[in-house]
Amino acid sequence: MDLTAKTELQQIVLDYLTSEASPELMTKIQNGTKGLNDMEHYIIKEMRKKQQKGVAYCTDKDLFGMAVHYFE
């Protein structure tokens, strides 16, 4: 799996995963079929569900949690 970030969000999540994810999760990501583009679309879709009056808020923990959840 090509893990080349194409957007700032993808790079932020990739940096986090590279430094903080378990070796098992990184192996799963590298050998899996899910990519960074699809992960970004998933996060955006989830954030749209949380928006109120056109504004959505999430913490770093929320963001990285959604990314980990997507790849698990």
Side-chain angles (χ1 to χ4, degrees):
M1 170 63 53
D2 178 28
L3 291 178
T4 304
K6 295 176 181 82
T7 67
E8 185 176 359
L9 175 61
Q10 290 177 13
Q11 188 62 56
I12 290 167
V13 171
L14 183 58
D15 290 346
Y16 170 79
L17 292 172
T18 302
S19 67
E20 301 295 327
S22 68
E24 294 82 15
L25 179 57
M26 285 307 297
T27 299
K28 187 174 186 177
I29 292 169
Q30 292 168 340
N31 295 332
T33 59
K34 295 180 177 181
L36 294 172
N37 285 331
D38 292 332
M39 179 266 323
E40 184 174 29
H41 292 294
Y42 169 77
I43 289 173
I44 290 169
K45 185 177 107 179
E46 291 301 305
M47 291 305 300
R48 283 188 177 133
K49 291 178 186 178
K50 296 176 184 250
Q51 74 180 354
Q52 296 177 11
K53 297 183 182 180
V55 176
Y57 168 81
C58 97
T59 64
D60 290 350
K61 183 178 176 180
D62 295 334
L63 173 68
F64 299 134
M66 285 185 273
V68 169
H69 176 75
Y70 175 77
F71 284 113
E72 286 183 331

